[in-house]
DNA sequence: TAGATTGTTAATCGATTAACAATC
DNA sequence: TAGATTGTTAATCGATTAACAATC
Protein backbone atom coordinates (compact mmCIF):
# COMPACT_ATOMS: atom_id res chain seq x y z
CA UNK A 1 0.00 0.00 0.00
CA UNK A 2 1.44 3.33 -1.01
CA UNK A 3 1.43 6.07 1.54
CA UNK A 4 0.75 8.91 -0.83
CA UNK A 5 -2.25 11.05 -1.58
CA UNK A 6 -4.99 9.10 -3.29
CA UNK A 7 -4.89 10.03 -6.99
CA UNK A 8 -8.69 9.87 -7.09
CA UNK A 9 -8.89 12.42 -4.30
CA UNK A 10 -10.56 15.64 -5.24
CA UNK A 11 -10.68 18.69 -3.04
CA UNK A 12 -14.16 19.50 -4.28
CA UNK A 13 -15.89 16.39 -3.06
CA UNK A 14 -14.65 16.57 0.48
CA UNK A 15 -17.39 17.63 2.84
CA UNK A 16 -17.11 20.59 5.16
CA UNK A 17 -17.52 18.24 8.12
CA UNK A 18 -14.30 16.47 7.18
CA UNK A 19 -12.42 19.66 6.40
CA UNK A 20 -13.22 21.06 9.82
CA UNK A 21 -11.71 18.01 11.46
CA UNK A 22 -8.47 18.12 9.50
CA UNK A 23 -6.75 20.91 11.46
CA UNK A 24 -7.52 18.98 14.61
CA UNK A 25 -5.94 15.82 13.26
CA UNK A 26 -2.97 17.85 12.16
CA UNK A 27 -2.57 19.30 15.62
CA UNK A 28 -2.77 15.98 17.42
CA UNK A 29 -0.44 14.24 15.00
CA UNK A 30 2.03 17.06 15.39
CA UNK A 31 1.88 16.63 19.14
CA UNK A 32 2.46 12.89 18.83
CA UNK A 33 5.41 13.44 16.56
CA UNK A 34 6.95 15.92 18.98
CA UNK A 35 6.55 13.34 21.71
CA UNK A 36 8.44 10.83 19.61
CA UNK A 37 5.50 8.55 18.89
CA UNK A 38 5.92 7.14 15.40
CA UNK A 39 2.90 4.88 15.06
CA UNK A 40 -0.75 5.13 16.02
CA UNK A 41 -3.93 3.19 15.33
CA UNK A 42 -7.33 4.69 14.65
CA UNK A 43 -8.46 3.20 17.94
CA UNK A 44 -5.73 4.89 19.97
CA UNK A 45 -6.30 8.15 18.17
CA UNK A 46 -10.03 7.91 18.86
CA UNK A 47 -9.35 7.71 22.57
CA UNK A 48 -7.12 10.76 22.57
CA UNK A 49 -9.28 12.89 20.32
CA UNK A 50 -12.81 11.89 21.19
CA UNK A 51 -13.85 10.89 17.65
CA UNK A 52 -14.84 7.32 16.81
CA UNK A 53 -12.21 5.07 15.25
CA UNK A 54 -14.57 4.45 12.38
CA UNK A 55 -14.89 8.12 11.63
CA UNK A 56 -11.14 8.60 11.74
CA UNK A 57 -10.61 5.83 9.18
CA UNK A 58 -13.37 7.22 6.99
CA UNK A 59 -11.84 10.67 7.15
CA UNK A 60 -8.33 9.54 6.28
CA UNK A 61 -9.70 7.54 3.40
CA UNK A 62 -11.10 10.59 1.69
CA UNK A 63 -7.54 11.32 0.74
CA UNK A 64 -5.77 8.03 0.33
CA UNK A 65 -4.29 5.01 1.99
CA UNK A 66 -2.04 6.28 4.69
CA UNK A 67 -2.40 3.27 6.92
CA UNK A 68 -1.16 -0.25 6.96
CA UNK A 69 -3.44 -3.10 7.90
CA UNK A 70 -2.54 -4.79 11.13
CA UNK A 71 -0.22 -1.96 12.04
CA UNK A 72 -1.84 1.46 12.04
CA UNK A 73 -0.73 4.80 10.74
CA UNK A 74 2.75 6.23 10.51
CA UNK A 75 2.49 9.46 12.50
CA UNK A 76 4.89 11.68 10.61
CA UNK A 77 3.78 10.46 7.21
CA UNK A 78 0.16 11.10 8.11
CA UNK A 79 0.93 14.46 9.63
CA UNK A 80 2.78 15.53 6.50
CA UNK A 81 0.02 14.29 4.23
CA UNK A 82 -2.65 16.22 6.13
CA UNK A 83 -0.39 19.25 6.18
CA UNK A 84 -0.16 18.99 2.42
CA UNK A 85 -3.93 18.71 2.07
CA UNK A 86 -4.34 21.78 4.27
CA UNK A 87 -1.69 23.48 2.20
CA UNK A 88 0.28 24.66 5.21
CA UNK A 89 3.34 25.25 3.08
CA UNK A 90 1.54 27.57 0.68
CA UNK A 91 2.45 30.81 2.40
CA UNK A 92 -0.57 32.56 0.93
CA UNK A 93 -0.24 36.32 0.94
CA UNK A 94 -2.64 38.05 3.28
CA UNK A 95 -3.29 41.34 5.03
CA UNK A 96 -5.12 42.43 8.13
CA UNK A 97 -7.54 45.34 8.28
CA UNK A 98 -8.22 46.78 11.71
CA UNK A 99 -5.51 47.06 14.35
CA UNK A 100 -7.74 47.42 17.39
CA UNK A 101 -7.67 45.09 20.34
CA UNK A 102 -8.74 42.05 18.37
CA UNK A 103 -6.36 42.71 15.49
CA UNK A 104 -3.50 43.13 17.92
CA UNK A 105 -4.38 39.86 19.62
CA UNK A 106 -4.45 38.01 16.31
CA UNK A 107 -0.94 39.25 15.52
CA UNK A 108 0.30 36.67 18.04
CA UNK A 109 -0.73 33.90 15.68
CA UNK A 110 2.06 32.11 13.91
CA UNK A 111 0.68 32.62 10.42
CA UNK A 112 3.60 31.02 8.60
CA UNK A 113 2.99 27.73 10.33
CA UNK A 114 -0.64 27.77 9.26
CA UNK A 115 0.06 28.44 5.60
CA UNK A 116 -0.20 32.22 5.45
CA UNK A 117 2.14 35.12 4.99
CA UNK A 118 0.84 38.26 6.65
CA UNK A 119 2.32 41.17 4.73
CA UNK A 120 0.70 44.28 6.12
CA UNK A 121 -1.74 45.64 8.67
CA UNK A 122 -4.11 48.49 7.82
CA UNK A 123 -6.22 50.81 9.91
CA UNK A 124 -8.00 54.10 9.29
CA UNK A 125 -7.42 55.70 12.68
CA UNK A 126 -4.80 58.48 12.28
CA UNK A 127 -3.63 57.84 15.85
CA UNK A 128 -2.78 54.26 15.00
CA UNK A 129 -1.40 54.68 11.47
CA UNK A 130 2.38 54.74 11.56
CA UNK A 131 2.67 53.08 14.95
CA UNK A 132 4.33 49.73 15.23
CA UNK A 133 2.77 46.55 16.62
CA UNK A 134 4.63 43.24 16.63
CA UNK A 135 6.97 44.39 13.86
CA UNK A 136 4.13 45.65 11.70
CA UNK A 137 4.05 49.32 10.90
CA UNK A 138 0.36 50.11 10.56
CA UNK A 139 -0.61 51.49 7.14
CA UNK A 140 -3.45 53.73 6.14
CA UNK A 141 -6.48 52.21 4.45
CA UNK A 142 -5.92 54.69 1.63
CA UNK A 143 -3.13 52.43 0.42
CA UNK A 144 -5.24 49.30 0.61
CA UNK A 145 -6.47 48.99 -2.97
CA UNK A 146 -3.09 49.52 -4.61
CA UNK A 147 -1.34 47.21 -2.21
CA UNK A 148 -3.77 44.35 -2.84
CA UNK A 149 -3.48 44.63 -6.58
CA UNK A 150 0.28 45.09 -6.68
CA UNK A 151 1.02 42.34 -4.20
CA UNK A 152 -1.65 39.97 -5.46
CA UNK A 153 -3.10 39.52 -1.98
CA UNK A 154 -5.18 36.37 -1.67
CA UNK A 155 -6.80 36.75 1.71
CA UNK A 156 -7.83 39.49 4.12
CA UNK A 157 -8.38 39.31 7.85
CA UNK A 158 -11.29 41.56 8.77
CA UNK A 159 -11.09 43.06 12.25
CA UNK A 160 -13.17 46.19 11.77
CA UNK A 161 -16.68 46.96 13.01
CA UNK A 162 -19.50 45.33 11.01
CA UNK A 163 -20.73 48.70 9.83
CA UNK A 164 -17.51 49.29 7.89
CA UNK A 165 -17.32 45.90 6.23
CA UNK A 166 -19.67 46.40 3.29
CA UNK A 167 -17.57 49.15 1.77
CA UNK A 168 -14.32 47.47 2.74
CA UNK A 169 -15.35 44.16 1.18
CA UNK A 170 -16.21 45.99 -2.01
CA UNK A 171 -12.75 47.57 -2.23
CA UNK A 172 -11.04 44.28 -1.54
CA UNK A 173 -13.18 42.32 -3.96
CA UNK A 174 -12.53 44.79 -6.74
CA UNK A 175 -8.84 44.38 -6.09
CA UNK A 176 -9.15 40.65 -6.44
CA UNK A 177 -9.11 39.61 -2.81
CA UNK A 178 -11.59 36.74 -2.72
CA UNK A 179 -10.96 35.07 0.61
CA UNK A 180 -11.76 36.43 4.04
CA UNK A 181 -11.18 35.53 7.63
CA UNK A 182 -13.99 37.61 8.95
CA UNK A 183 -14.45 38.59 12.59
CA UNK A 184 -17.38 40.88 11.89
CA UNK A 185 -21.02 39.93 11.57
CA UNK A 186 -21.36 41.26 8.08
CA UNK A 187 -21.70 38.30 5.74
CA UNK A 188 -19.49 38.93 2.72
CA UNK A 189 -20.38 35.73 0.87
CA UNK A 190 -24.03 36.78 0.85
CA UNK A 191 -23.08 39.61 -1.51
CA UNK A 192 -20.21 38.08 -3.48
CA UNK A 193 -21.06 34.45 -4.01
CA UNK A 194 -17.64 33.45 -5.34
CA UNK A 195 -15.65 34.38 -2.25
CA UNK A 196 -14.31 31.94 0.32
CA UNK A 197 -15.27 33.16 3.74
CA UNK A 198 -14.55 31.83 7.18
CA UNK A 199 -16.41 33.82 9.78
CA UNK A 200 -15.61 33.78 13.47
CA UNK A 201 -18.69 34.83 15.40
CA UNK A 202 -17.45 35.22 18.95
CA UNK A 203 -20.76 36.55 20.23
CA UNK A 204 -22.67 33.66 18.71
CA UNK A 205 -20.27 31.21 20.25
CA UNK A 206 -20.74 32.72 23.68
CA UNK A 207 -24.51 32.76 23.35
CA UNK A 208 -24.52 29.10 22.35
CA UNK A 209 -22.64 28.40 25.57
CA UNK A 210 -25.23 30.43 27.44
CA UNK A 211 -27.90 28.14 26.11
CA UNK A 212 -26.03 25.02 27.12
CA UNK A 213 -25.55 26.06 30.72
CA UNK B 1 -52.44 30.81 18.19
CA UNK B 2 -50.56 31.87 21.26
CA UNK B 3 -47.21 33.53 20.79
CA UNK B 4 -45.56 31.98 23.80
CA UNK B 5 -42.98 29.28 24.26
CA UNK B 6 -44.29 25.86 23.38
CA UNK B 7 -45.05 24.08 26.66
CA UNK B 8 -43.79 20.83 25.11
CA UNK B 9 -40.47 22.43 24.32
CA UNK B 10 -37.55 20.86 26.07
CA UNK B 11 -34.04 22.25 26.00
CA UNK B 12 -32.58 18.77 25.94
CA UNK B 13 -34.06 17.64 22.66
CA UNK B 14 -32.95 20.61 20.62
CA UNK B 15 -30.11 19.69 18.34
CA UNK B 16 -26.79 21.49 18.35
CA UNK B 17 -27.42 22.50 14.73
CA UNK B 18 -30.46 24.49 15.77
CA UNK B 19 -28.80 25.98 18.84
CA UNK B 20 -25.94 27.31 16.74
CA UNK B 21 -28.38 29.12 14.49
CA UNK B 22 -30.28 30.78 17.34
CA UNK B 23 -27.79 33.58 18.07
CA UNK B 24 -27.84 34.42 14.40
CA UNK B 25 -31.63 34.67 14.34
CA UNK B 26 -31.47 36.79 17.45
CA UNK B 27 -28.99 39.14 15.84
CA UNK B 28 -30.98 39.58 12.63
CA UNK B 29 -34.27 40.04 14.44
CA UNK B 30 -32.65 42.61 16.68
CA UNK B 31 -31.45 44.46 13.61
CA UNK B 32 -34.92 44.37 12.06
CA UNK B 33 -36.46 45.67 15.25
CA UNK B 34 -33.97 48.52 15.42
CA UNK B 35 -34.88 49.38 11.84
CA UNK B 36 -38.51 49.57 12.83
CA UNK B 37 -39.64 46.47 10.93
CA UNK B 38 -42.40 44.82 12.92
CA UNK B 39 -43.33 41.87 10.73
CA UNK B 40 -41.38 39.35 8.67
CA UNK B 41 -42.12 36.11 6.87
CA UNK B 42 -39.87 33.06 6.79
CA UNK B 43 -39.38 33.72 3.09
CA UNK B 44 -38.15 37.28 3.61
CA UNK B 45 -35.92 36.19 6.46
CA UNK B 46 -34.48 33.42 4.30
CA UNK B 47 -33.41 35.96 1.71
CA UNK B 48 -31.65 38.16 4.27
CA UNK B 49 -29.98 35.37 6.18
CA UNK B 50 -29.17 32.77 3.57
CA UNK B 51 -31.06 29.91 5.22
CA UNK B 52 -34.03 28.24 3.53
CA UNK B 53 -37.51 29.36 4.55
CA UNK B 54 -38.33 25.77 5.37
CA UNK B 55 -35.44 25.49 7.77
CA UNK B 56 -36.37 28.72 9.47
CA UNK B 57 -39.92 27.50 10.09
CA UNK B 58 -38.62 24.16 11.33
CA UNK B 59 -36.24 25.89 13.69
CA UNK B 60 -38.82 28.26 15.15
CA UNK B 61 -41.16 25.36 15.64
CA UNK B 62 -38.79 23.58 17.98
CA UNK B 63 -39.87 26.13 20.51
CA UNK B 64 -43.44 27.04 19.77
CA UNK B 65 -45.86 28.83 17.55
CA UNK B 66 -44.50 32.32 17.15
CA UNK B 67 -46.01 32.88 13.74
CA UNK B 68 -49.39 33.55 12.33
CA UNK B 69 -50.58 31.83 9.17
CA UNK B 70 -51.01 34.15 6.25
CA UNK B 71 -49.14 36.89 8.05
CA UNK B 72 -45.67 35.90 9.20
CA UNK B 73 -43.80 36.49 12.41
CA UNK B 74 -43.97 39.43 14.76
CA UNK B 75 -40.37 40.63 14.92
CA UNK B 76 -40.16 41.87 18.48
CA UNK B 77 -42.15 38.98 19.88
CA UNK B 78 -39.92 36.50 18.09
CA UNK B 79 -36.77 38.33 19.09
CA UNK B 80 -37.81 38.30 22.73
CA UNK B 81 -38.76 34.65 22.61
CA UNK B 82 -35.39 33.64 21.15
CA UNK B 83 -33.66 35.88 23.66
CA UNK B 84 -35.50 34.04 26.40
CA UNK B 85 -34.48 30.67 24.97
CA UNK B 86 -30.87 31.83 24.82
CA UNK B 87 -31.26 33.09 28.36
CA UNK B 88 -29.78 36.50 27.56
CA UNK B 89 -31.29 37.97 30.70
CA UNK B 90 -29.65 35.43 32.98
CA UNK B 91 -26.57 37.45 33.81
CA UNK B 92 -24.59 34.33 34.61
CA UNK B 93 -21.57 35.02 36.77
CA UNK B 94 -18.29 34.44 35.00
CA UNK B 95 -14.59 35.18 35.22
CA UNK B 96 -11.74 35.45 32.77
CA UNK B 97 -8.35 33.82 33.23
CA UNK B 98 -5.50 35.25 31.20
CA UNK B 99 -5.18 38.97 30.51
CA UNK B 100 -2.84 38.76 27.54
CA UNK B 101 -3.62 40.19 24.13
CA UNK B 102 -6.56 37.90 23.53
CA UNK B 103 -8.04 38.39 26.96
CA UNK B 104 -7.75 42.14 26.57
CA UNK B 105 -9.49 41.98 23.19
CA UNK B 106 -12.35 39.95 24.61
CA UNK B 107 -12.94 42.58 27.29
CA UNK B 108 -14.52 44.70 24.54
CA UNK B 109 -17.41 42.26 24.37
CA UNK B 110 -20.67 43.46 25.85
CA UNK B 111 -21.14 40.48 28.14
CA UNK B 112 -24.30 41.78 29.82
CA UNK B 113 -26.12 41.86 26.53
CA UNK B 114 -25.20 38.22 25.85
CA UNK B 115 -26.36 36.93 29.22
CA UNK B 116 -23.18 37.04 31.25
CA UNK B 117 -21.81 39.05 34.09
CA UNK B 118 -18.02 39.19 34.03
CA UNK B 119 -16.93 39.70 37.63
CA UNK B 120 -13.16 39.44 37.62
CA UNK B 121 -10.09 38.90 35.46
CA UNK B 122 -7.17 36.78 36.65
CA UNK B 123 -3.60 36.37 35.51
CA UNK B 124 -0.45 34.91 37.02
CA UNK B 125 2.05 37.38 35.62
CA UNK B 126 3.24 39.65 38.47
CA UNK B 127 3.73 42.47 35.97
CA UNK B 128 0.07 42.36 35.02
CA UNK B 129 -1.51 41.65 38.41
CA UNK B 130 -2.81 44.87 39.91
CA UNK B 131 -2.92 46.76 36.64
CA UNK B 132 -6.24 47.95 35.30
CA UNK B 133 -7.73 47.04 31.92
CA UNK B 134 -11.17 48.27 30.89
CA UNK B 135 -12.20 48.86 34.51
CA UNK B 136 -10.99 45.45 35.61
CA UNK B 137 -8.22 45.34 38.16
CA UNK B 138 -6.35 42.15 37.33
CA UNK B 139 -6.23 39.65 40.20
CA UNK B 140 -3.72 36.97 41.00
CA UNK B 141 -4.57 33.37 40.18
CA UNK B 142 -3.85 32.58 43.82
CA UNK B 143 -7.25 34.04 44.64
CA UNK B 144 -9.01 32.04 41.96
CA UNK B 145 -10.27 29.05 43.94
CA UNK B 146 -11.73 31.05 46.80
CA UNK B 147 -13.34 33.55 44.50
CA UNK B 148 -15.09 30.89 42.44
CA UNK B 149 -16.48 29.15 45.47
CA UNK B 150 -17.51 32.28 47.33
CA UNK B 151 -19.08 33.96 44.32
CA UNK B 152 -20.59 30.77 42.88
CA UNK B 153 -19.03 31.39 39.48
CA UNK B 154 -20.77 29.48 36.71
CA UNK B 155 -18.48 29.98 33.76
CA UNK B 156 -14.83 30.70 33.05
CA UNK B 157 -13.26 32.23 29.95
CA UNK B 158 -9.94 30.54 29.31
CA UNK B 159 -7.35 32.74 27.62
CA UNK B 160 -4.16 31.09 28.82
CA UNK B 161 -1.72 28.89 26.89
CA UNK B 162 -2.85 25.29 26.36
CA UNK B 163 -0.06 23.98 28.54
CA UNK B 164 -1.54 25.70 31.59
CA UNK B 165 -5.12 24.60 31.07
CA UNK B 166 -5.03 21.12 32.56
CA UNK B 167 -4.12 22.34 36.02
CA UNK B 168 -6.33 25.41 35.71
CA UNK B 169 -9.35 23.36 34.68
CA UNK B 170 -8.80 21.11 37.66
CA UNK B 171 -8.83 24.05 40.07
CA UNK B 172 -11.94 25.50 38.47
CA UNK B 173 -13.77 22.20 38.34
CA UNK B 174 -13.07 21.52 41.98
CA UNK B 175 -14.51 24.91 42.81
CA UNK B 176 -17.65 24.06 40.92
CA UNK B 177 -17.08 25.92 37.69
CA UNK B 178 -18.52 23.60 35.07
CA UNK B 179 -18.81 25.73 31.97
CA UNK B 180 -15.98 27.05 29.85
CA UNK B 181 -15.48 29.39 26.95
CA UNK B 182 -12.17 27.96 25.95
CA UNK B 183 -9.71 29.65 23.60
CA UNK B 184 -6.99 27.07 24.17
CA UNK B 185 -6.58 23.75 22.41
CA UNK B 186 -6.76 21.73 25.57
CA UNK B 187 -10.05 19.88 25.58
CA UNK B 188 -11.57 20.15 29.05
CA UNK B 189 -14.67 18.08 28.32
CA UNK B 190 -12.46 15.14 27.41
CA UNK B 191 -11.41 14.96 31.06
CA UNK B 192 -14.54 16.16 32.85
CA UNK B 193 -17.47 14.75 30.95
CA UNK B 194 -20.10 16.77 32.78
CA UNK B 195 -18.82 20.20 31.81
CA UNK B 196 -20.30 22.45 29.15
CA UNK B 197 -17.55 23.61 26.88
CA UNK B 198 -17.52 25.93 23.92
CA UNK B 199 -14.11 25.98 22.30
CA UNK B 200 -12.94 28.63 19.89
CA UNK B 201 -10.15 27.22 17.79
CA UNK B 202 -8.84 30.20 15.88
CA UNK B 203 -5.97 28.28 14.30
CA UNK B 204 -8.30 25.55 13.09
CA UNK B 205 -10.61 28.12 11.61
CA UNK B 206 -7.78 29.74 9.70
CA UNK B 207 -6.50 26.40 8.43
CA UNK B 208 -9.95 25.47 7.20
CA UNK B 209 -9.93 28.69 5.21
CA UNK B 210 -6.50 27.75 3.87
CA UNK B 211 -7.98 24.55 2.53
CA UNK B 212 -10.88 26.32 0.87
CA UNK B 213 -8.72 28.78 -1.04
C1' DT C 1 -63.81 34.91 0.17
C1' DA C 2 -59.06 34.77 -1.87
C1' DG C 3 -54.32 35.09 -0.87
C1' DA C 4 -50.62 34.35 1.97
C1' DT C 5 -47.91 31.98 5.02
C1' DT C 6 -47.49 29.11 8.84
C1' DG C 7 -47.08 24.44 11.17
C1' DT C 8 -46.11 19.88 10.28
C1' DT C 9 -45.53 15.59 7.92
C1' DA C 10 -43.05 13.06 4.42
C1' DA C 11 -39.05 12.66 1.30
C1' DT C 12 -34.39 13.41 0.54
C1' DC C 13 -29.94 14.02 1.48
C1' DG C 14 -25.68 13.62 4.00
C1' DA C 15 -22.90 12.24 7.82
C1' DT C 16 -21.80 8.87 11.30
C1' DT C 17 -21.43 4.29 12.95
C1' DA C 18 -21.15 -0.68 12.50
C1' DA C 19 -19.43 -4.60 10.39
C1' DC C 20 -16.31 -7.34 8.13
C1' DA C 21 -13.36 -8.92 4.35
C1' DA C 22 -8.72 -7.80 2.92
C1' DT C 23 -4.12 -7.88 4.25
C1' DC C 24 -0.05 -6.60 6.67
C1' DT D 1 0.23 -18.75 10.94
C1' DA D 2 -2.42 -15.82 14.28
C1' DG D 3 -3.46 -11.27 15.62
C1' DA D 4 -4.27 -6.75 14.60
C1' DT D 5 -6.01 -3.08 12.14
C1' DT D 6 -6.98 -0.99 7.92
C1' DG D 7 -10.08 0.08 3.84
C1' DT D 8 -14.60 -0.09 2.44
C1' DT D 9 -19.37 -1.33 2.13
C1' DA D 10 -23.82 -1.40 4.33
C1' DA D 11 -26.93 0.23 8.05
C1' DT D 12 -28.30 3.81 10.90
C1' DC D 13 -29.06 8.10 12.34
C1' DG D 14 -29.95 12.96 11.97
C1' DA D 15 -30.56 17.19 9.53
C1' DT D 16 -32.38 19.62 5.61
C1' DT D 17 -35.68 20.32 2.08
C1' DA D 18 -40.13 19.77 -0.14
C1' DA D 19 -44.89 19.64 0.00
C1' DC D 20 -49.26 20.76 1.48
C1' DA D 21 -53.21 21.01 4.62
C1' DA D 22 -54.56 24.23 8.18
C1' DT D 23 -55.79 28.74 9.05
C1' DC D 24 -55.23 33.62 9.63
Amino acid sequence: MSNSLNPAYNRDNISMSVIRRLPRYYRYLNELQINGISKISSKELSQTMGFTASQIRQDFNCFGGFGQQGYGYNVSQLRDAIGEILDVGANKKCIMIGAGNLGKALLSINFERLGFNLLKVFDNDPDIIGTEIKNFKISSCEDLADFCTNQKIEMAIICVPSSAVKELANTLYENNVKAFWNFSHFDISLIYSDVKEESVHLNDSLMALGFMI
Side-chain angles (χ1 to χ4, degrees), chain A:
Chain A
M1 182 82 283
S2 84
N3 283 281
S4 56
L5 285 175
N6 184 344
Y9 127 78
N10 180 347
R11 299 185 98 73
D12 296 337
N13 51 29
I14 293 158
S15 74
M16 247 343 213
S17 316
V18 176
I19 294 171
R20 297 218 164 275
R21 283 191 291 269
L22 290 183
R24 201 177 161 92
Y25 288 126
Y26 188 70
R27 187 149 40 81
Y28 272 83
L29 289 164
N30 216 34
E31 202 72 19
L32 289 169
Q33 194 179 31
I34 287 167
N35 293 331
I37 293 157
S38 62
K39 175 243 158 191
I40 193 148
S41 71
S42 57
K43 195 180 165 197
E44 291 168 300
L45 203 50
S46 81
Q47 282 152 1
T48 334
M49 297 189 63
F51 298 156
T52 66
S54 197
Q55 179 164 66
I56 291 170
R57 291 203 301 279
Q58 285 275 27
D59 284 354
F60 291 171
N61 258 77
C62 290
F63 306 105
F66 299 128
Q68 199 173 340
Q69 274 118 326
Y71 174 80
Y73 297 89
N74 176 306
V75 169
S76 69
Q77 230 163 39
L78 187 55
R79 187 206 87 111
D80 291 349
I82 293 179
E84 205 184 303
I85 292 158
L86 288 171
D87 220 4
V88 292
N91 235 18
K92 301 179 182 78
K93 287 183 181 178
C94 65
I95 56 170
M96 178 182 286
I97 302 107
N101 283 315
L102 182 62
K104 262 182 244 172
L106 295 179
L107 289 178
S108 305
I109 291 173
N110 185 342
F111 288 97
E112 301 283 338
R113 210 170 47 84
L114 304 176
F116 291 90
N117 182 11
L118 182 60
L119 290 181
K120 229 178 195 357
V121 179
F122 295 86
D123 202 294
N124 64 7
D125 180 343
D127 291 345
I128 293 179
I129 295 165
T131 63
E132 197 166 307
I133 308 171
K134 297 238 176 193
N135 294 322
F136 286 96
K137 195 166 174 197
I138 312 301
S139 304
S140 164
C141 285
E142 286 172 18
D143 307 330
L144 190 56
D146 286 349
F147 188 83
C148 289
T149 297
N150 295 339
Q151 292 286 324
K152 297 198 195 314
I153 297 299
E154 279 198 77
M155 192 273 277
I157 305 170
I158 311 284
C159 304
V160 304
S162 296
S163 57
V165 178
K166 188 175 183 172
E167 201 190 325
L168 174 62
N170 183 258
T171 303
L172 291 165
Y173 186 85
E174 288 188 344
N175 287 279
N176 229 34
V177 179
K178 306 234 165 143
F180 301 94
W181 198 27
N182 186 359
F183 286 82
S184 86
H185 282 137
F186 184 90
D187 207 332
I188 299 172
S189 59
L190 232 46
I191 297 186
Y192 306 102
S193 58
D194 63 332
V195 307
K196 309 291 182 191
E197 181 177 29
E198 172 74 8
S199 288
V200 180
H201 295 308
L202 294 177
N203 287 7
D204 291 9
S205 165
L206 184 53
M207 286 179 103
L209 180 60
F211 179 94
M212 290 187 259
I213 294 175

